[in-house]
């Protein structure tokens, strides 16, 4: 299993259909790895980001 995901794979993992929603998460601090023109997101970074931003909504 690959540790790094493309934006398309990250959207699929998160269950979102829009790159706009993913860009919002990146602007909120989700780390991105850029190699040349290709951008990747680490599965571990995604898990840590989601855990750090967990909130209880009433």
């Amino acid at each position: 299993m690959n540790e790094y995901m493309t934006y398309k794979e990250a959207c699929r993992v998160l269950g979102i259909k829009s790159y706009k929603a993913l860009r919002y998460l990146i602007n909120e601090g989700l780390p991105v790895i850029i190699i040349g023109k290709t951008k990747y997101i680490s599965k571990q970074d995604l898990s840590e980001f989601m855990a750090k931003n967990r909130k209880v909504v009433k």
Side-chain angles (χ1 to χ4, degrees):
M1 185 176 275
N2 196 354
E3 166 66 23
Y4 302 100
M5 303 176 286
T6 62
Y7 278 19
K8 185 176 184 177
E9 293 168 328
C11 284
R12 194 173 327 136
V13 167
L14 290 167
I16 57 178
K17 297 182 190 273
S18 165
Y19 287 119
K20 186 175 181 180
L22 183 60
R23 283 194 305 270
Y24 173 79
L25 296 176
I26 292 167
N27 288 336
E28 290 295 310
L30 178 62
V32 174
I33 299 160
I34 301 173
I35 301 172
K37 293 183 179 182
T38 309
K39 298 174 185 177
Y40 298 98
I41 296 173
S42 164
K43 289 180 182 178
Q44 181 177 351
D45 287 344
L46 179 58
S47 293
E48 290 172 2
F49 176 81
M50 295 302 283
K52 185 178 92 174
N53 288 285
R54 183 177 296 158
K55 293 181 176 73
V56 176
V57 179
K58 295 181 182 181

CSV table of all heavy atoms in Angstrom, one decimal:
chain,number,residue,atom,x,y,z
A,1,MET,N,0.8,-1.2,0.0
A,1,MET,CA,0.0,0.0,0.0
A,1,MET,C,0.9,1.2,0.0
A,1,MET,O,1.9,1.3,0.7
A,1,MET,CB,-0.9,0.0,1.2
A,1,MET,CG,-1.9,1.1,1.2
A,1,MET,SD,-3.1,1.1,2.6
A,1,MET,CE,-4.3,0.0,1.9
A,2,ASN,N,0.5,2.2,-0.8
A,2,ASN,CA,1.3,3.4,-1.0
A,2,ASN,C,1.0,4.4,0.2
A,2,ASN,O,-0.2,4.6,0.5
A,2,ASN,CB,1.0,4.0,-2.3
A,2,ASN,CG,2.1,5.1,-2.7
A,2,ASN,OD1,2.9,5.4,-2.0
A,2,ASN,ND2,1.9,5.6,-3.9
A,3,GLU,N,2.0,5.0,0.7
A,3,GLU,CA,1.9,5.9,1.8
A,3,GLU,C,1.4,7.3,1.4
A,3,GLU,O,0.8,8.1,2.1
A,3,GLU,CB,3.3,6.1,2.5
A,3,GLU,CG,3.4,7.3,3.5
A,3,GLU,CD,2.5,7.2,4.7
A,3,GLU,OE1,2.1,6.1,5.1
A,3,GLU,OE2,2.2,8.2,5.3
A,4,TYR,N,1.5,7.6,0.1
A,4,TYR,CA,1.2,8.9,-0.5
A,4,TYR,C,0.0,8.8,-1.5
A,4,TYR,O,0.0,7.8,-2.2
A,4,TYR,CB,2.4,9.6,-1.1
A,4,TYR,CG,3.5,9.7,-0.1
A,4,TYR,CD1,4.6,8.8,-0.1
A,4,TYR,CD2,3.5,10.7,0.9
A,4,TYR,CE1,5.6,8.9,0.9
A,4,TYR,CE2,4.5,10.8,1.8
A,4,TYR,CZ,5.5,9.9,1.8
A,4,TYR,OH,6.5,10.0,2.7
A,5,MET,N,-0.9,9.8,-1.4
A,5,MET,CA,-2.0,9.8,-2.3
A,5,MET,C,-2.0,11.0,-3.2
A,5,MET,O,-1.5,12.1,-2.8
A,5,MET,CB,-3.3,9.8,-1.5
A,5,MET,CG,-3.5,8.7,-0.5
A,5,MET,SD,-5.0,9.0,0.5
A,5,MET,CE,-4.4,10.3,1.6
A,6,THR,N,-2.6,10.9,-4.4
A,6,THR,CA,-2.8,12.0,-5.2
A,6,THR,C,-4.0,12.8,-4.7
A,6,THR,O,-4.7,12.2,-3.8
A,6,THR,CB,-3.1,11.6,-6.7
A,6,THR,OG1,-4.3,10.8,-6.7
A,6,THR,CG2,-1.9,10.8,-7.3
A,7,TYR,N,-4.3,13.9,-5.2
A,7,TYR,CA,-5.5,14.7,-4.7
A,7,TYR,C,-6.7,13.8,-5.0
A,7,TYR,O,-7.6,13.8,-4.2
A,7,TYR,CB,-5.6,16.0,-5.5
A,7,TYR,CG,-4.7,17.1,-4.9
A,7,TYR,CD1,-3.6,16.9,-4.1
A,7,TYR,CD2,-5.0,18.4,-5.2
A,7,TYR,CE1,-2.9,17.9,-3.6
A,7,TYR,CE2,-4.3,19.5,-4.7
A,7,TYR,CZ,-3.2,19.2,-3.9
A,7,TYR,OH,-2.5,20.2,-3.4
A,8,LYS,N,-6.8,13.2,-6.1
A,8,LYS,CA,-8.0,12.4,-6.5
A,8,LYS,C,-8.2,11.3,-5.5
A,8,LYS,O,-9.3,11.0,-5.0
A,8,LYS,CB,-7.8,11.8,-7.9
A,8,LYS,CG,-9.0,11.1,-8.4
A,8,LYS,CD,-8.8,10.6,-9.8
A,8,LYS,CE,-10.0,9.9,-10.4
A,8,LYS,NZ,-9.8,9.6,-11.8
A,9,GLU,N,-7.1,10.6,-5.1
A,9,GLU,CA,-7.2,9.5,-4.1
A,9,GLU,C,-7.6,10.1,-2.7
A,9,GLU,O,-8.4,9.5,-2.0
A,9,GLU,CB,-5.9,8.8,-4.0
A,9,GLU,CG,-5.5,8.0,-5.3
A,9,GLU,CD,-4.1,7.5,-5.3
A,9,GLU,OE1,-3.2,8.2,-4.7
A,9,GLU,OE2,-3.9,6.4,-5.9
A,10,ALA,N,-7.1,11.2,-2.4
A,10,ALA,CA,-7.4,11.8,-1.1
A,10,ALA,C,-8.9,12.2,-1.0
A,10,ALA,O,-9.5,12.0,0.0
A,10,ALA,CB,-6.5,13.1,-0.8
A,11,CYS,N,-9.4,12.7,-2.1
A,11,CYS,CA,-10.8,13.0,-2.2
A,11,CYS,C,-11.7,11.8,-2.0
A,11,CYS,O,-12.7,11.8,-1.3
A,11,CYS,CB,-11.2,13.7,-3.5
A,11,CYS,SG,-10.7,15.4,-3.6
A,12,ARG,N,-11.2,10.7,-2.6
A,12,ARG,CA,-12.0,9.4,-2.5
A,12,ARG,C,-12.0,8.9,-1.1
A,12,ARG,O,-13.0,8.5,-0.5
A,12,ARG,CB,-11.4,8.4,-3.4
A,12,ARG,CG,-12.2,7.2,-3.6
A,12,ARG,CD,-11.7,6.2,-4.7
A,12,ARG,NE,-11.0,6.9,-5.8
A,12,ARG,CZ,-9.8,6.5,-6.2
A,12,ARG,NH1,-9.3,5.4,-5.8
A,12,ARG,NH2,-9.2,7.1,-7.2
A,13,VAL,N,-10.8,9.0,-0.4
A,13,VAL,CA,-10.6,8.6,1.0
A,13,VAL,C,-11.5,9.4,1.9
A,13,VAL,O,-12.2,8.9,2.8
A,13,VAL,CB,-9.2,8.7,1.5
A,13,VAL,CG1,-9.0,8.5,3.0
A,13,VAL,CG2,-8.4,7.6,0.8
A,14,LEU,N,-11.6,10.7,1.7
A,14,LEU,CA,-12.4,11.6,2.5
A,14,LEU,C,-13.9,11.6,2.2
A,14,LEU,O,-14.7,12.1,2.9
A,14,LEU,CB,-11.9,13.1,2.3
A,14,LEU,CG,-10.5,13.4,2.9
A,14,LEU,CD1,-10.0,14.7,2.4
A,14,LEU,CD2,-10.6,13.3,4.4
A,15,GLY,N,-14.2,11.0,1.0
A,15,GLY,CA,-15.6,11.0,0.6
A,15,GLY,C,-16.1,12.3,0.1
A,15,GLY,O,-17.3,12.6,0.2
A,16,ILE,N,-15.2,13.1,-0.5
A,16,ILE,CA,-15.6,14.4,-1.0
A,16,ILE,C,-15.5,14.3,-2.6
A,16,ILE,O,-14.6,13.6,-3.1
A,16,ILE,CB,-14.8,15.6,-0.5
A,16,ILE,CG1,-13.3,15.4,-0.6
A,16,ILE,CG2,-15.2,15.8,1.0
A,16,ILE,CD1,-12.5,16.5,-0.1
A,17,LYS,N,-16.3,15.1,-3.3
A,17,LYS,CA,-16.3,15.0,-4.7
A,17,LYS,C,-15.6,16.2,-5.4
A,17,LYS,O,-15.4,16.3,-6.6
A,17,LYS,CB,-17.7,14.8,-5.3
A,17,LYS,CG,-18.3,13.5,-4.8
A,17,LYS,CD,-19.7,13.4,-5.4
A,17,LYS,CE,-20.4,12.2,-4.8
A,17,LYS,NZ,-20.2,11.0,-5.4
A,18,SER,N,-15.3,17.2,-4.6
A,18,SER,CA,-14.8,18.5,-5.1
A,18,SER,C,-13.4,18.7,-4.7
A,18,SER,O,-13.0,18.6,-3.5
A,18,SER,CB,-15.7,19.6,-4.6
A,18,SER,OG,-15.1,20.8,-4.8
A,19,TYR,N,-12.6,19.1,-5.6
A,19,TYR,CA,-11.2,19.6,-5.3
A,19,TYR,C,-11.2,20.9,-4.5
A,19,TYR,O,-10.3,21.1,-3.7
A,19,TYR,CB,-10.4,19.8,-6.6
A,19,TYR,CG,-10.0,18.5,-7.3
A,19,TYR,CD1,-10.4,18.2,-8.5
A,19,TYR,CD2,-9.2,17.5,-6.6
A,19,TYR,CE1,-10.0,17.0,-9.2
A,19,TYR,CE2,-8.9,16.4,-7.2
A,19,TYR,CZ,-9.3,16.1,-8.5
A,19,TYR,OH,-8.9,14.9,-9.1
A,20,LYS,N,-12.3,21.6,-4.6
A,20,LYS,CA,-12.5,22.9,-3.9
A,20,LYS,C,-12.5,22.6,-2.4
A,20,LYS,O,-11.9,23.3,-1.6
A,20,LYS,CB,-13.7,23.6,-4.3
A,20,LYS,CG,-13.9,25.0,-3.7
A,20,LYS,CD,-15.1,25.7,-4.3
A,20,LYS,CE,-15.3,27.0,-3.7
A,20,LYS,NZ,-16.4,27.7,-4.2
A,21,ALA,N,-13.2,21.5,-2.0
A,21,ALA,CA,-13.2,21.1,-0.6
A,21,ALA,C,-11.9,20.7,-0.1
A,21,ALA,O,-11.5,21.0,1.0
A,21,ALA,CB,-14.3,20.0,-0.4
A,22,LEU,N,-11.1,20.0,-0.9
A,22,LEU,CA,-9.8,19.5,-0.6
A,22,LEU,C,-8.9,20.8,-0.4
A,22,LEU,O,-8.1,20.8,0.5
A,22,LEU,CB,-9.2,18.6,-1.6
A,22,LEU,CG,-7.8,18.0,-1.3
A,22,LEU,CD1,-7.8,17.2,0.0
A,22,LEU,CD2,-7.4,17.1,-2.4
A,23,ARG,N,-9.0,21.7,-1.4
A,23,ARG,CA,-8.2,22.9,-1.3
A,23,ARG,C,-8.5,23.7,0.0
A,23,ARG,O,-7.6,24.3,0.6
A,23,ARG,CB,-8.4,23.8,-2.5
A,23,ARG,CG,-7.6,23.3,-3.7
A,23,ARG,CD,-7.6,24.4,-4.8
A,23,ARG,NE,-8.9,24.9,-5.2
A,23,ARG,CZ,-9.7,24.4,-6.1
A,23,ARG,NH1,-9.3,23.3,-6.8
A,23,ARG,NH2,-10.8,24.9,-6.4
A,24,TYR,N,-9.7,23.7,0.5
A,24,TYR,CA,-10.1,24.3,1.7
A,24,TYR,C,-9.3,23.7,2.9
A,24,TYR,O,-8.7,24.3,3.7
A,24,TYR,CB,-11.6,24.2,2.0
A,24,TYR,CG,-12.0,24.7,3.3
A,24,TYR,CD1,-12.1,26.1,3.6
A,24,TYR,CD2,-12.2,23.8,4.4
A,24,TYR,CE1,-12.4,26.5,4.9
A,24,TYR,CE2,-12.5,24.3,5.7
A,24,TYR,CZ,-12.7,25.6,5.9
A,24,TYR,OH,-13.0,26.1,7.1
A,25,LEU,N,-9.3,22.3,2.9
A,25,LEU,CA,-8.5,21.6,4.0
A,25,LEU,C,-7.0,21.9,3.9
A,25,LEU,O,-6.4,22.1,4.9
A,25,LEU,CB,-8.7,20.1,3.8
A,25,LEU,CG,-10.2,19.6,4.1
A,25,LEU,CD1,-10.3,18.1,3.8
A,25,LEU,CD2,-10.7,20.0,5.4
A,26,ILE,N,-6.5,22.0,2.7
A,26,ILE,CA,-5.1,22.4,2.5
A,26,ILE,C,-4.8,23.8,3.0
A,26,ILE,O,-3.8,24.1,3.8
A,26,ILE,CB,-4.7,22.2,1.0
A,26,ILE,CG1,-4.7,20.8,0.7
A,26,ILE,CG2,-3.3,22.9,0.8
A,26,ILE,CD1,-4.6,20.5,-0.8
A,27,ASN,N,-5.7,24.7,2.8
A,27,ASN,CA,-5.6,26.1,3.3
A,27,ASN,C,-5.7,26.1,4.8
A,27,ASN,O,-5.2,27.1,5.4
A,27,ASN,CB,-6.6,27.0,2.6
A,27,ASN,CG,-6.3,27.3,1.2
A,27,ASN,OD1,-5.2,27.2,0.8
A,27,ASN,ND2,-7.4,27.7,0.4
A,28,GLU,N,-6.4,25.2,5.4
A,28,GLU,CA,-6.6,25.1,6.8
A,28,GLU,C,-5.4,24.4,7.5
A,28,GLU,O,-5.3,24.3,8.7
A,28,GLU,CB,-7.8,24.3,7.2
A,28,GLU,CG,-9.1,25.1,6.9
A,28,GLU,CD,-9.2,26.4,7.7
A,28,GLU,OE1,-9.1,26.3,8.9
A,28,GLU,OE2,-9.5,27.4,7.1
A,29,GLY,N,-4.4,23.9,6.7
A,29,GLY,CA,-3.2,23.4,7.3
A,29,GLY,C,-2.8,21.9,6.9
A,29,GLY,O,-1.9,21.4,7.4
A,30,LEU,N,-3.6,21.3,6.1
A,30,LEU,CA,-3.3,19.9,5.6
A,30,LEU,C,-2.0,20.0,4.8
A,30,LEU,O,-2.0,20.7,3.8
A,30,LEU,CB,-4.4,19.3,4.8
A,30,LEU,CG,-4.2,17.9,4.2
A,30,LEU,CD1,-4.0,16.9,5.3
A,30,LEU,CD2,-5.4,17.5,3.3
A,31,PRO,N,-1.0,19.3,5.2
A,31,PRO,CA,0.3,19.3,4.5
A,31,PRO,C,0.2,18.7,3.1
A,31,PRO,O,-0.4,17.7,3.0
A,31,PRO,CB,1.3,18.5,5.4
A,31,PRO,CG,0.6,18.5,6.8
A,31,PRO,CD,-0.9,18.5,6.5
A,32,VAL,N,1.0,19.2,2.2
A,32,VAL,CA,1.0,18.7,0.8
A,32,VAL,C,2.5,18.6,0.5
A,32,VAL,O,3.3,19.4,0.8
A,32,VAL,CB,0.4,19.7,-0.2
A,32,VAL,CG1,0.6,19.3,-1.6
A,32,VAL,CG2,-1.1,19.9,0.1
A,33,ILE,N,2.8,17.5,-0.2
A,33,ILE,CA,4.2,17.2,-0.7
A,33,ILE,C,4.2,17.5,-2.2
A,33,ILE,O,3.3,16.9,-2.9
A,33,ILE,CB,4.6,15.7,-0.4
A,33,ILE,CG1,4.5,15.5,1.1
A,33,ILE,CG2,5.9,15.4,-1.0
A,33,ILE,CD1,4.4,14.0,1.4
A,34,ILE,N,5.1,18.4,-2.6
A,34,ILE,CA,5.1,18.7,-4.1
A,34,ILE,C,6.4,18.2,-4.6
A,34,ILE,O,7.5,18.6,-4.1
A,34,ILE,CB,5.0,20.3,-4.2
A,34,ILE,CG1,3.7,20.8,-3.6
A,34,ILE,CG2,5.1,20.6,-5.7
A,34,ILE,CD1,3.5,22.3,-3.6
A,35,ILE,N,6.3,17.4,-5.7
A,35,ILE,CA,7.5,16.9,-6.4
A,35,ILE,C,7.3,17.3,-7.8
A,35,ILE,O,6.4,16.7,-8.5
A,35,ILE,CB,7.7,15.4,-6.2
A,35,ILE,CG1,7.8,15.0,-4.7
A,35,ILE,CG2,8.9,14.9,-7.0
A,35,ILE,CD1,7.8,13.6,-4.4
A,36,GLY,N,8.1,18.2,-8.3
A,36,GLY,CA,7.9,18.7,-9.7
A,36,GLY,C,6.5,19.4,-9.7
A,36,GLY,O,6.2,20.3,-9.0
A,37,LYS,N,5.7,18.9,-10.6
A,37,LYS,CA,4.3,19.5,-10.8
A,37,LYS,C,3.3,18.6,-10.1
A,37,LYS,O,2.1,18.9,-10.2
A,37,LYS,CB,4.0,19.7,-12.3
A,37,LYS,CG,4.8,20.7,-13.0
A,37,LYS,CD,4.4,20.9,-14.4
A,37,LYS,CE,5.2,21.9,-15.1
A,37,LYS,NZ,4.8,22.1,-16.5
A,38,THR,N,3.7,17.5,-9.5
A,38,THR,CA,2.8,16.6,-8.9
A,38,THR,C,2.7,16.8,-7.4
A,38,THR,O,3.7,17.1,-6.7
A,38,THR,CB,3.2,15.1,-9.2
A,38,THR,OG1,3.5,15.0,-10.5
A,38,THR,CG2,2.2,14.1,-8.7
A,39,LYS,N,1.4,16.8,-6.9
A,39,LYS,CA,1.2,17.1,-5.5
A,39,LYS,C,0.6,15.8,-4.8
A,39,LYS,O,-0.2,15.1,-5.4
A,39,LYS,CB,0.2,18.2,-5.3
A,39,LYS,CG,0.7,19.5,-5.9
A,39,LYS,CD,-0.3,20.6,-5.9
A,39,LYS,CE,0.2,21.8,-6.6
A,39,LYS,NZ,-0.8,22.9,-6.6
A,40,TYR,N,1.1,15.5,-3.6
A,40,TYR,CA,0.7,14.3,-2.9
A,40,TYR,C,0.3,14.7,-1.5
A,40,TYR,O,0.8,15.7,-0.9
A,40,TYR,CB,1.9,13.3,-2.8
A,40,TYR,CG,2.3,12.8,-4.1
A,40,TYR,CD1,3.4,13.3,-4.8
A,40,TYR,CD2,1.6,11.7,-4.8
A,40,TYR,CE1,3.9,12.8,-6.0
A,40,TYR,CE2,2.1,11.2,-6.0
A,40,TYR,CZ,3.2,11.8,-6.6
A,40,TYR,OH,3.6,11.3,-7.8
A,41,ILE,N,-0.5,13.8,-0.9
A,41,ILE,CA,-0.9,14.0,0.5
A,41,ILE,C,-0.5,12.7,1.2
A,41,ILE,O,-0.9,11.6,0.7
A,41,ILE,CB,-2.4,14.3,0.7
A,41,ILE,CG1,-2.6,15.7,0.0
A,41,ILE,CG2,-2.8,14.3,2.1
A,41,ILE,CD1,-4.1,16.1,-0.1
A,42,SER,N,0.2,12.8,2.3
A,42,SER,CA,0.5,11.6,3.1
A,42,SER,C,-0.7,11.1,3.9
A,42,SER,O,-1.5,11.9,4.5
A,42,SER,CB,1.6,11.9,4.1
A,42,SER,OG,1.7,11.0,5.1
A,43,LYS,N,-0.9,9.8,3.9
A,43,LYS,CA,-2.0,9.2,4.6
A,43,LYS,C,-1.9,9.5,6.1
A,43,LYS,O,-2.9,9.8,6.7
A,43,LYS,CB,-2.1,7.7,4.4
A,43,LYS,CG,-2.5,7.3,3.0
A,43,LYS,CD,-2.5,5.8,2.8
A,43,LYS,CE,-2.9,5.5,1.3
A,43,LYS,NZ,-2.9,4.1,1.1
A,44,GLN,N,-0.7,9.5,6.6
A,44,GLN,CA,-0.5,9.7,8.0
A,44,GLN,C,-0.8,11.2,8.3
A,44,GLN,O,-1.4,11.5,9.3
A,44,GLN,CB,1.0,9.4,8.4
A,44,GLN,CG,1.2,9.7,9.9
A,44,GLN,CD,2.7,9.3,10.3
A,44,GLN,OE1,3.4,8.7,9.5
A,44,GLN,NE2,3.0,9.7,11.5
A,45,ASP,N,-0.3,12.1,7.5
A,45,ASP,CA,-0.6,13.5,7.6
A,45,ASP,C,-2.1,13.8,7.6
A,45,ASP,O,-2.7,14.6,8.4
A,45,ASP,CB,0.0,14.4,6.6
A,45,ASP,CG,1.5,14.5,6.7
A,45,ASP,OD1,2.0,14.2,7.9
A,45,ASP,OD2,2.2,14.9,5.8
A,46,LEU,N,-2.8,13.1,6.7
A,46,LEU,CA,-4.3,13.3,6.6
A,46,LEU,C,-5.0,12.8,7.9
A,46,LEU,O,-5.8,13.5,8.4
A,46,LEU,CB,-4.8,12.5,5.4
A,46,LEU,CG,-6.3,12.6,5.2
A,46,LEU,CD1,-6.8,14.0,5.0
A,46,LEU,CD2,-6.7,11.8,4.0
A,47,SER,N,-4.6,11.7,8.4
A,47,SER,CA,-5.1,11.1,9.6
A,47,SER,C,-4.9,12.1,10.8
A,47,SER,O,-5.8,12.3,11.6
A,47,SER,CB,-4.6,9.7,9.9
A,47,SER,OG,-5.0,8.8,9.0
A,48,GLU,N,-3.6,12.6,10.9
A,48,GLU,CA,-3.3,13.5,12.0
A,48,GLU,C,-4.1,14.8,11.9
A,48,GLU,O,-4.6,15.3,12.9
A,48,GLU,CB,-1.8,13.7,12.0
A,48,GLU,CG,-1.0,12.5,12.4
A,48,GLU,CD,0.5,12.7,12.3
A,48,GLU,OE1,0.9,13.8,11.9
A,48,GLU,OE2,1.2,11.8,12.5
A,49,PHE,N,-4.2,15.3,10.7
A,49,PHE,CA,-4.9,16.5,10.5
A,49,PHE,C,-6.4,16.4,10.9
A,49,PHE,O,-7.0,17.2,11.6
A,49,PHE,CB,-4.8,17.0,9.0
A,49,PHE,CG,-5.6,18.2,8.7
A,49,PHE,CD1,-5.2,19.4,8.9
A,49,PHE,CD2,-6.9,18.1,8.1
A,49,PHE,CE1,-5.9,20.6,8.6
A,49,PHE,CE2,-7.6,19.2,7.8
A,49,PHE,CZ,-7.1,20.5,8.1
A,50,MET,N,-7.0,15.3,10.5
A,50,MET,CA,-8.4,15.0,10.8
A,50,MET,C,-8.6,14.9,12.3
A,50,MET,O,-9.6,15.4,12.9
A,50,MET,CB,-8.9,13.8,10.0
A,50,MET,CG,-9.0,14.0,8.5
A,50,MET,SD,-9.9,15.4,8.0
A,50,MET,CE,-11.6,14.7,8.1
A,51,ALA,N,-7.7,14.2,13.0
A,51,ALA,CA,-7.8,14.0,14.4
A,51,ALA,C,-7.6,15.3,15.1
A,51,ALA,O,-8.3,15.6,16.1
A,51,ALA,CB,-6.8,13.0,14.9
A,52,LYS,N,-6.7,16.1,14.7
A,52,LYS,CA,-6.4,17.4,15.3
A,52,LYS,C,-7.6,18.4,15.2
A,52,LYS,O,-7.8,19.2,16.0
A,52,LYS,CB,-5.2,18.0,14.7
A,52,LYS,CG,-4.7,19.3,15.3
A,52,LYS,CD,-3.5,19.8,14.7
A,52,LYS,CE,-3.9,20.8,13.6
A,52,LYS,NZ,-2.8,21.5,12.9
A,53,ASN,N,-8.3,18.2,14.1
A,53,ASN,CA,-9.4,19.2,13.8
A,53,ASN,C,-10.8,18.6,14.2
A,53,ASN,O,-11.8,19.1,13.8
A,53,ASN,CB,-9.4,19.6,12.3
A,53,ASN,CG,-8.3,20.5,12.0
A,53,ASN,OD1,-8.3,21.7,12.4
A,53,ASN,ND2,-7.2,20.0,11.5
A,54,ARG,N,-10.8,17.5,14.9
A,54,ARG,CA,-12.1,16.9,15.4
A,54,ARG,C,-12.8,17.8,16.4
A,54,ARG,O,-12.2,18.3,17.3
A,54,ARG,CB,-11.8,15.5,16.0
A,54,ARG,CG,-13.0,14.8,16.4
A,54,ARG,CD,-12.6,13.4,17.0
A,54,ARG,NE,-12.0,12.6,15.9
A,54,ARG,CZ,-11.2,11.6,16.1
A,54,ARG,NH1,-10.9,11.3,17.3
A,54,ARG,NH2,-10.7,10.9,15.1
A,55,LYS,N,-14.0,18.0,16.1
A,55,LYS,CA,-14.8,18.9,17.1
A,55,LYS,C,-16.2,18.2,17.3
A,55,LYS,O,-16.7,17.6,16.4
A,55,LYS,CB,-15.1,20.3,16.5
A,55,LYS,CG,-13.8,21.1,16.3
A,55,LYS,CD,-14.1,22.4,15.8
A,55,LYS,CE,-12.9,23.3,15.7
A,55,LYS,NZ,-11.9,23.0,14.7
A,56,VAL,N,-16.7,18.4,18.5
A,56,VAL,CA,-18.1,17.9,18.8
A,56,VAL,C,-19.1,19.0,18.4
A,56,VAL,O,-19.0,20.1,19.0
A,56,VAL,CB,-18.2,17.5,20.2
A,56,VAL,CG1,-19.6,17.1,20.6
A,56,VAL,CG2,-17.2,16.4,20.6
A,57,VAL,N,-20.0,18.7,17.6
A,57,VAL,CA,-21.0,19.7,17.2
A,57,VAL,C,-22.3,19.3,17.9
A,57,VAL,O,-22.8,18.2,17.8
A,57,VAL,CB,-21.2,19.7,15.7
A,57,VAL,CG1,-22.3,20.7,15.3
A,57,VAL,CG2,-19.9,20.0,15.0
A,58,LYS,N,-22.9,20.3,18.5
A,58,LYS,CA,-24.2,20.1,19.3
A,58,LYS,C,-25.4,20.5,18.4
A,58,LYS,O,-25.3,21.3,17.6
A,58,LYS,CB,-24.2,20.8,20.6
A,58,LYS,CG,-23.1,20.2,21.5
A,58,LYS,CD,-23.2,21.0,22.8
A,58,LYS,CE,-22.1,20.5,23.8
A,58,LYS,NZ,-22.1,21.1,25.0
